[in-house]
Amino acid sequence: MKNYFLVGICGASMSSLAIYLKQQGFCVRGYDRNSLGILTECGIEVSNSENLEDIEWADEIVYSSAFDESFSLLAHAKKLGKKLSVRGKLLAEIAGQHEKVVAISGSHGKSSVTAMVYNILRVAGFKPSLHVGANLKESGRSFDFAGKEFFVTEACEYHDNFLFLRPFLSVVTNVEPEHLDYFGTFKNELKSFDKFKESSLNVVENTNLEIRNLKTGRRGDIVFDVLERGARLFNLRMAVGGKYNAKNALLAIEVCRKLGVSDCLIKLGLENYKGLEKRFERVGCAAPGRAIVDYAHHPHEIASVVDSLKGMHGNKVAIFQPHTYSRTATLMHEFVKALSEFDEVILFKTYAAREQPQPEIEIELLKKLAAHTETIMFYDLNALIDKLNSFEKGAILAIMGAGDLPEKLFSRKFIWRD
């Protein structure tokens, strides 16, 4: 039986792939700086130390794009002549075992569209498999390895991982300057998306469907009419927040129509969709105010959160953890513009991911924001929590970013899932 060792095993995608391999009967272990309870529950060992003996045990080493081959474990594997595979390659191998791969890519919204398409197919009576970069609220998992007809997957463009896939149908939600630490230029990023579309049998990147009468309900749900050529197709009441999810729903409708699902089942699937964790997720809060958690780590996504908060009364406070110094530096002006729409901004120390600390970049962000709105920065979690507890009742706390701040606040029980 083949032995797999996964470097960066606790990431949303990597952990899902690890569990899939385990379910198929393979021996699986991994390394990560963090830990993940679901892997322990599945009997998968995770080491937090760079133990070279783990590499000697493995037949194949799969690694996240957050690591490069100069990393100690990977360098040792290369020296030993072990087989090395990037995460995207393993994902493509698993996806290729299904009849139809539905791959959803784009700068924003790809996780939500992926989950919506999966849920529509599930409600319509299919047994789709799912791989997505966030946890479903129903199950707390980012995967579902079910049938062999449809494999619905989020397709990440970072390091061109999505080019390993050969989709039956691909989706491009939108393309904006992202991951320029890898692509170098926006032009190069666009070229990669063009290659992705060329590799697909069918492509969805826009829709003629329209939204009308969009409202946010008292419980944070969204209600709107879906129009086709000016005529009302149906009304939707979705149990998710975030006005941007209405646009995501239109793409999901377009995809599922192309897959042969009827409009009535599409409507049923969307109205039964519970959402994803950290996607405009309303959470309980120890502070007097209300709190939402959103994965927004790009200025466009922050602007979407701002738009979704309109109509909600109260002092709107952004608690933002920048994700990588390079993204902050590249999009500094755009971050300042988006965050300045909040009444107050609280910055938490940058989640560096694969990068070395560059505190001068976050200090520059702090200074530029302070010229537009009340802004403060914290490096200590306890001090941050004390500050959040000082807000009066009625404040709306928008906790944003792709880093580890929500998990830190969950672990301290400052916020919790209702």
Side-chain angles (χ1 to χ4, degrees):
M1 183 58 66
K2 193 172 184 178
N3 298 332
Y4 282 91
F5 190 84
L6 276 61
V7 177
I9 194 171
C10 291
S13 175
M14 290 285 279
S15 59
S16 300
L17 299 179
I19 292 167
Y20 174 84
L21 293 172
K22 182 74 173 180
Q23 290 177 348
Q24 299 304 304
F26 295 106
C27 298
V28 184
R29 298 179 190 170
Y31 162 84
D32 211 306
R33 302 180 184 96
N34 306 305
S35 58
L36 195 64
I38 191 171
L39 293 176
T40 303
E41 293 170 13
C42 293
I44 298 173
E45 295 180 25
V46 179
S47 173
N48 300 126
S49 61
E50 299 171 26
N51 187 350
L52 299 184
E53 292 181 0
D54 289 330
I55 294 299
E56 295 169 4
W57 164 85
D59 300 307
E60 182 172 350
I61 294 87
V62 181
Y63 62 97
S64 159
S65 294
F67 298 84
D68 60 40
E69 293 188 5
S70 65
F71 180 64
S72 62
L73 296 177
L74 299 179
H76 188 61
K78 198 171 183 180
K79 183 179 178 181
L80 295 175
K82 298 283 187 178
K83 181 179 179 181
L84 290 173
S85 299
V86 295
R87 178 199 63 84
K89 186 176 180 182
L90 175 61
L91 173 61
E93 290 175 0
I94 294 171
Q97 298 170 15
H98 297 73
E99 293 176 31
K100 296 176 182 177
V101 177
V102 181
I104 292 93
S105 70
S107 300
H108 319 295
K110 54 183 174 285
S111 295
S112 295
V113 175
T114 301
M116 288 178 189
V117 169
Y118 158 78
N119 202 63
I120 292 168
L121 290 173
R122 185 183 63 80
V123 169
F126 298 96
K127 293 182 179 180
S129 288
L130 170 72
H131 169 270
V132 66
N135 289 335
L136 298 169
K137 292 186 75 172
E138 299 99 312
S139 65
R141 297 189 174 192
S142 60
F143 64 90
D144 179 15
F145 300 115
K148 290 292 186 180
E149 182 176 1
F150 290 108
F151 187 85
V152 185
T153 181
E154 179 174 338
C156 179
E157 73 273 21
Y158 189 52
H159 278 253
D160 283 328
N161 275 297
F162 61 174
L163 297 185
F164 288 105
L165 295 165
R166 291 294 177 267
F168 169 77
L169 188 152
S170 68
V171 181
V172 178
T173 60
N174 45 63
V175 186
E176 290 191 3
E178 256 285 52
H179 300 304
L180 297 186
D181 57 323
Y182 169 70
F183 289 113
T185 66
F186 185 41
K187 185 177 180 179
N188 288 338
E189 182 183 352
L190 289 171
K191 287 180 179 178
S192 284
F193 274 96
D194 285 341
K195 290 179 183 177
F196 173 66
K197 289 184 285 186
E198 289 166 4
S199 70
S200 308
L201 290 176
N202 304 279
V203 178
V204 172
E205 54 184 328
N206 50 53
T207 175
N208 292 322
L209 300 175
E210 300 175 51
I211 299 164
R212 187 174 292 175
N213 302 323
L214 175 60
K215 299 176 183 178
T216 300
R218 291 182 179 179
R219 292 175 292 182
D221 53 346
I222 52 174
V223 185
F224 57 98
D225 292 326
V226 178
L227 276 67
E228 184 174 32
R229 299 185 186 90
R232 179 172 136 164
L233 190 63
F234 47 68
N235 176 264
L236 274 177
R237 178 179 290 274
M238 297 182 65
V240 293
K243 292 180 180 178
Y244 54 83
N245 270 318
K247 293 182 179 179
N248 292 333
L250 295 190
L251 281 173
I253 294 168
E254 194 72 35
V255 169
C256 290
R257 278 180 153 191
K258 288 188 178 297
L259 295 176
V261 183
S262 66
D263 286 348
C264 62
L265 287 175
I266 289 173
K267 173 179 164 65
L268 184 62
L270 287 172
E271 293 193 327
N272 278 274
Y273 173 65
K274 304 301 182 187
L276 292 169
E277 293 178 1
K278 295 193 286 186
R279 299 305 190 275
F280 208 82
E281 180 185 10
R282 289 173 180 257
V283 294
C285 183
R290 294 163 286 170
I292 66 105
V293 176
D294 198 278
Y295 196 68
H297 58 287
H298 184 282
H300 177 95
E301 295 163 351
I302 294 170
S304 292
V305 171
V306 171
D307 185 53
S308 295
L309 290 174
K310 289 178 180 176
M312 295 178 66
H313 300 291
N315 192 41
K316 297 177 178 65
V317 184
I319 301 95
F320 179 58
Q321 182 184 32
H323 187 273
T324 72
Y325 298 98
S326 60
R327 179 183 282 112
T328 303
T330 301
L331 301 172
M332 181 72 70
H333 173 75
E334 291 83 356
F335 274 118
V336 172
K337 182 179 178 181
L339 288 166
S340 294
E341 293 296 315
F342 285 89
D343 298 311
E344 296 182 46
V345 176
I346 296 172
L347 299 175
F348 190 65
K349 62 183 177 181
T350 297
Y351 188 82
R354 52 200 170 267
E355 299 179 346
Q356 294 301 311
Q358 301 173 65
E360 68 277 6
I361 292 176
E362 55 197 7
I363 295 301
E364 182 183 356
L365 177 62
L366 171 65
K367 289 180 178 178
K368 292 191 173 188
L369 274 169
H372 297 274
T373 189
E374 185 176 339
T375 308
I376 191 171
M377 180 152 200
F378 288 93
Y379 288 87
D380 179 74
L381 183 65
N382 291 327
L384 170 64
I385 291 175
D386 287 343
K387 172 64 178 177
L388 298 182
N389 278 321
S390 72
F391 286 104
E392 295 181 359
K393 185 177 181 180
I396 302 168
L397 309 180
I399 302 161
M400 299 178 292
D404 59 357
L405 179 57
E407 281 66 34
K408 289 179 182 293
L409 294 174
F410 281 126
S411 68
R412 292 291 301 275
K413 295 182 171 56
F414 176 80
I415 56 174
W416 61 89
R417 292 195 162 93
D418 292 329

